[in-house]
Amino acid sequence: MKTLLLLRHGKSSWDAQHQLDHDRPLAKRGRKAAALMGRYLTALDEAPEHACSSSAVRARDTAGRAAQAGGWSCRIEISEHLYHASPDQVLEVVRKTDGGIARLLLAGHEPTWSLLTGKLIGSASVKFPTAAVARIDLSIENWRDADFGRGTLVWLVTPKILERIGWEDAVS
């Protein structure tokens, strides 16, 4: 069994000084949400063993803030293959993951994360808000065997849900 964690980048800034989509940074709300999700994964004992982020600034920053806030020990690899990627292209990144890694986190974008999640678990329609994290268990022994229809969506959590239920207050 392998566990894939999909983290969508946090809310990004639409400040006019960032002309290129690739260079858009996180907004204040996105930075806060990324840290919250990192702490949440650690509290669940779900911190990744390896993380790979899209090369876009907002995705890299989301992964970095989540890792720092959660105290993750894993390295974050940056991949241009996750920016503007199709679900098939992301699946190829997954398949190249070292077989010894049990829990992989990918940080990326919409609409890819919704489409990828739906295809991995069969043919579902999934909504993936900013800074949400999904856990998908794949019934495989090696990442090279990852394929559509082989996953089970265990949970999908958003920062808004955690804030509404006062999650951090409850665990403090």
Side-chain angles (χ1 to χ4, degrees):
M1 177 77 66
K2 298 290 186 186
T3 297
L4 177 62
L5 300 167
L6 297 177
L7 170 63
R8 182 178 174 199
H9 66 76
K11 186 76 175 161
S12 60
S13 171
W14 288 94
D15 189 334
Q17 68 179 322
H18 303 286
Q19 297 293 325
L20 298 175
D21 177 73
H22 189 272
D23 298 336
R24 275 191 296 123
L26 290 174
K28 181 179 179 182
R29 185 173 117 198
R31 294 189 299 270
K32 180 182 172 191
L36 174 67
M37 299 315 281
R39 289 189 298 273
Y40 179 71
L41 286 173
T42 297
L44 288 180
D45 201 22
E46 297 276 347
E49 294 172 43
H50 183 76
C52 186
S53 173
S54 157
S55 59
V57 170
R58 60 194 179 276
R60 290 189 333 239
D61 198 18
T62 297
R65 287 175 183 276
Q68 182 178 12
W72 304 349
S73 60
C74 71
R75 183 175 75 82
I76 300 173
E77 177 184 348
I78 306 303
S79 174
E80 303 224 357
H81 299 290
L82 294 178
Y83 181 66
H84 282 307
S86 69
D88 291 294
Q89 290 167 316
V90 175
L91 189 59
E92 286 306 311
V93 170
V94 170
R95 287 176 176 156
K96 292 177 182 172
T97 302
D98 181 308
I101 294 168
R103 189 177 304 114
L104 169 67
L105 179 134
L106 300 179
H109 310 272
E110 275 296 282
T112 305
W113 270 199
S114 291
L115 296 170
L116 176 65
T117 301
K119 291 179 94 169
L120 285 170
I121 64 174
S123 60
S125 177
V126 178
K127 182 179 179 187
F128 221 107
T130 54
V133 177
R135 175 183 164 180
I136 301 168
D137 285 350
L138 297 165
S139 55
I140 57 175
E141 294 300 316
N142 197 300
W143 291 107
R144 69 176 172 261
D145 300 323
D147 209 348
F148 299 130
R150 301 204 60 187
T152 300
L153 179 62
V154 178
W155 46 258
L156 190 150
V157 178
T158 68
K160 190 175 283 190
I161 289 171
L162 296 179
E163 290 166 359
R164 283 190 180 161
I165 65 170
W167 170 77
E168 282 198 298
D169 296 333
V171 296
S172 298

